[in-house]
């Protein structure tokens, strides 16, 4: 009952949707408590591509960001990195490109302020961190660089004339 005497009612069709990254170490104890009390659905990196589709209208930019996400995630999955699919980047991180869309080096800002930051956290304490970050940066740069029809992405389907 509310202080004014009226009943407080939560409608049956009200859903509360929360999101969290399951590798965040700082919320581990809260994570266990929430998992016991609520239903969970994991969203894979591939499923999160819809975020890019909804936030990035420019088809070329969206393709480059999708390519970067996929290539970084392929590297993250490689056994020598010892990370795994739970460390893959999702569309929400790459959609932060929109914060810098009007900047001359939007892709650089996205890397420096978001992607590199999270990868640094993933690799904290590893002796090979700088080498891995350098490798992932090369993969990212390769994916986001502008391509002309004369310079298709290696491995991409040739463009039809």
């Amino acid at each position: 009952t509310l202080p004014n005497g009226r009943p407080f009612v939560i409608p049956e069709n009200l859903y509360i949707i929360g999101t969290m990254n399951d590798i965040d170490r700082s919320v581990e104890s809260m994570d266990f408590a929430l998992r016991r009390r609520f239903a969970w659905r994991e969203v894979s990196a591939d499923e999160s591509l819809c975020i890019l589709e909804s936030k990035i209208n420019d088809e070329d930019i969206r393709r480059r960001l999708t390519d970067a996400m996929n290539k970084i995630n392929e590297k993250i999955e490689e056994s020598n990195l010892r990370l795994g699919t739970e460390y893959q980047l999702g569309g929400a991180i790459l959609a932060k490109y929109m914060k810098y869309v009007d900047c001359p080096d939007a892709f650089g800002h996205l890397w420096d302020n978001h992607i590199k930051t999270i990868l640094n956290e993933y690799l904290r304490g590893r002796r090979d961190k700088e080498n891995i970050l350098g490798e992932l940066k090369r993969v990212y740069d390769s994916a986001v660089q502008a391509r002309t029809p004369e310079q298709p992405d290696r491995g991409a389907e040739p463009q039809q004339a």
Side-chain angles (χ1 to χ4, degrees):
T1 304
L2 296 171
N4 64 6
R6 298 169 109 185
F8 176 76
V9 178
I10 298 175
E12 287 186 32
N13 64 347
L14 173 69
Y15 294 91
I16 298 173
I17 300 174
T19 64
M20 67 186 307
N21 187 330
D22 65 349
I23 61 163
D24 287 339
R25 296 178 190 117
S26 62
V27 296
E28 191 171 1
S29 60
M30 184 177 74
D31 181 27
F32 292 132
L34 292 172
R35 286 182 191 271
R36 286 193 313 268
R37 291 170 174 85
F38 297 99
W40 289 84
R41 182 185 180 282
E42 185 172 336
V43 177
S44 70
D46 286 342
E47 288 175 297
S48 75
L49 280 172
C50 62
I51 296 169
L52 285 178
E53 292 166 3
S54 70
K55 301 228 183 244
I56 312 290
N57 293 326
D58 183 302
E59 189 175 322
D60 177 58
I61 298 296
R62 188 173 56 243
R63 180 194 53 77
R64 290 157 66 183
L65 290 169
T66 299
D67 194 28
M69 185 180 108
N70 289 334
K71 288 183 176 182
I72 288 172
N73 286 343
E74 286 172 15
K75 280 285 184 197
I76 286 173
E77 271 191 271
E78 289 180 2
S79 60
N80 64 323
L81 292 188
R82 300 182 314 274
L83 290 174
T85 57
E86 63 270 21
Y87 287 88
Q88 288 183 328
L89 302 181
I93 291 172
L94 283 101
K96 291 177 193 262
Y97 172 89
M98 292 307 292
K99 292 181 178 221
Y100 310 104
V101 70
D102 295 326
C103 299
D105 186 20
F107 288 110
H109 291 303
L110 176 63
W111 173 266
D112 291 337
N113 299 330
H114 301 282
I115 298 171
K116 181 180 177 185
T117 302
I118 197 164
L119 293 172
N120 260 321
E121 183 64 26
Y122 292 171
L123 300 167
R124 186 180 357 159
R126 290 186 54 167
R127 290 183 178 159
D128 56 352
K129 177 173 95 169
E130 292 306 317
N131 291 336
I132 293 170
L133 279 175
E135 187 176 342
L136 292 169
K137 176 73 162 105
R138 283 187 292 281
V139 166
Y140 174 79
D141 287 343
S142 169
V144 298
Q145 71 183 350
R147 293 180 185 86
T148 63
E150 298 82 38
Q151 299 173 313
D153 185 15
R154 289 190 338 206
E157 292 291 321
Q159 291 188 352
Q160 300 293 324

